[in-house]
């Protein structure tokens, strides 16, 4: 029988969350193949990172999937490019179909990934394929909505670059207010609109700003050694993707546990 998170002596403490995350990682470890795959799909950027000297200090908020690119900034070339899982795309006529393919593949992976994490922490078992079937349509639609929102938010910057700071601040605020959304979809089996409303209500009620910022700080600290490895040649870049995969899974599991705690959902020990 699953035990309520509230039975813990101090479920809000960072130590408790770290311990609970560690207790689930062994069971959920096969899911690290998802962040590994999404990192390796961006093969061009992976090779470019390995051939470039440098170090990244990148803070990532607990909004979506973590992988290597949550800790490492890929080298940026000149001209207009778009970052996708399978590399940077330059020819604009290919942009729309490739973004469409990205949305479908990424959404399907998210369905299996987040569905499995939700099942794993609440029942102790997971079925990736069942997660794809159950949440696939919703996750693909959510992915499309996020891509459209980002385009709508940042496209005006091409015309008015000084708006960049305003756009970044707006994105940060929206990220904080709605970061539980993808987890609520999987944990409570809600539709996108219902999950977004529920996520906003949970944030308003529990005010998890400390958790939100703490994750950003910890990811920034992790980004230094991971990026040093990623810039140590092509082999180092692949090794960094391997190292970042279970690390990314740990951050996603920790966030799922935090959202479950906020929502009063029972989790297994």
């Amino acid at each position: 029988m699953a035990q309520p998170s509230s039975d813990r002596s101090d479920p809000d403490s960072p130590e408790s969350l770290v311990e609970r995350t560690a207790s689930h990682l062994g069971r959920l470890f096969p899911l690290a193949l998802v962040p590994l795959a999404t990192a390796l799909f961006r093969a061009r950027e992976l090779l470019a990172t390995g051939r470039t000297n440098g170090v990244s200090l990148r803070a990532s908020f607990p909004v979506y999937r973590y992988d290597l690119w949550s800790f490492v900034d890929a080298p940026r070339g000149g001209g207009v490019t778009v970052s996708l899982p399978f590399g940077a795309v330059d020819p604009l006529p290919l942009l729309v179909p490739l973004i469409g393919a990205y949305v479908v593949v990424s959404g399907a992976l998210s369905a299996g990934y987040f569905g499995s994490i939700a099942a794993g922490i609440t029942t102790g078992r997971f079925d990736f394929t069942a997660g794809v079937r159950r949440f696939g349509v919703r996750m693909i639609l959510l992915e499309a909505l996020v891509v459209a929102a980002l385009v709508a938010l940042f496209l005006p910057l091409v015309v008015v670059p000084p708006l960049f700071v305003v756009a970044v601040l707006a994105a940060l605020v929206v990220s904080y207010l709605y970061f539980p959304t993808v987890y609520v979809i999987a944990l409570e089996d809600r539709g996108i609109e219902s999950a977004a409303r529920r996520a906003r209500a949970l944030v308003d009620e529990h005010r998890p700003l400390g958790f939100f910022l703490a994750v950003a700080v910890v990811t920034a600290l992790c980004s230094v050694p991971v990026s040093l490895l990623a810039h140590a040649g092509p082999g180092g870049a692949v090794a960094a993707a391997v190292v970042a995969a279970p690390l990314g899974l740990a951050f996603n599991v920790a966030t799922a546990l935090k959202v479950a705690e906020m929502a009063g959902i029972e989790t297994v020990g």
Side-chain angles (χ1 to χ4, degrees):
M1 171 69 83
Q3 298 297 320
S5 298
S6 56
D7 284 349
R8 307 282 178 175
S9 57
D10 186 7
D12 291 326
S13 70
E15 294 82 4
S16 174
L17 184 58
V18 170
E19 291 171 0
R20 286 185 288 141
T21 299
S23 72
H24 288 285
L25 278 182
R27 181 189 314 120
L28 298 174
F29 193 80
L31 296 176
L33 290 173
V34 172
L36 177 60
T38 58
L40 296 179
F41 281 163
R42 291 169 61 172
R44 286 175 55 183
E45 293 182 4
L46 193 66
L47 291 175
T49 300
R51 293 168 180 161
T52 305
N53 294 323
V55 61
S56 300
L57 181 64
R58 179 167 186 176
S60 296
F61 295 100
V63 178
Y64 203 45
R65 287 190 318 260
Y66 284 90
D67 64 8
L68 174 66
W69 308 111
S70 303
F71 306 98
V72 177
D73 284 318
R76 303 296 178 186
V80 178
T81 60
V82 176
S83 293
L84 294 172
F86 30 76
V89 178
D90 220 343
L92 292 181
L94 296 178
L95 191 57
V96 173
L98 284 177
I99 288 180
Y102 159 68
V103 165
V104 172
V105 173
S106 183
L109 286 175
S110 290
Y113 184 67
F114 288 109
S116 295
I117 290 175
I121 67 173
T122 56
T123 70
R125 303 179 303 277
F126 69 89
D127 184 332
F128 190 90
T129 303
V132 174
R133 289 197 302 265
R134 187 170 188 175
F135 301 109
V137 173
R138 279 173 279 178
M139 292 295 185
I140 290 171
L141 181 56
L142 178 63
E143 190 95 33
L145 290 173
V146 170
V147 170
L150 289 174
V151 170
L153 182 62
F154 288 101
L155 192 58
L157 302 182
V158 177
V159 180
V160 190
L163 290 176
F164 180 78
V165 174
V166 176
V168 169
L169 290 176
L172 288 176
V173 171
V174 172
S175 295
Y176 169 65
L177 292 176
Y178 293 98
F179 82 88
T181 300
V182 70
Y183 299 94
V184 170
I185 289 175
L187 285 166
E188 297 188 343
D189 199 6
R190 290 176 179 259
I192 295 174
E193 183 180 356
S194 174
R197 290 199 306 268
R198 173 69 163 154
R200 177 62 190 276
L202 290 174
V203 171
D204 286 345
E205 178 182 355
H206 296 275
R207 303 188 183 280
L209 182 60
F211 170 80
F212 190 79
L213 296 178
V215 170
V217 171
V218 176
T219 54
L221 293 175
C222 292
S223 73
V224 176
V226 173
S227 65
L228 285 172
L229 180 59
H231 289 292
V238 173
V242 173
V243 170
L247 188 60
L249 174 62
F251 280 107
N252 283 129
V253 171
T255 305
L257 287 168
K258 179 64 176 180
V259 173
E261 177 187 303
M262 290 164 58
I265 297 172
E266 295 184 353
T267 59
V268 297

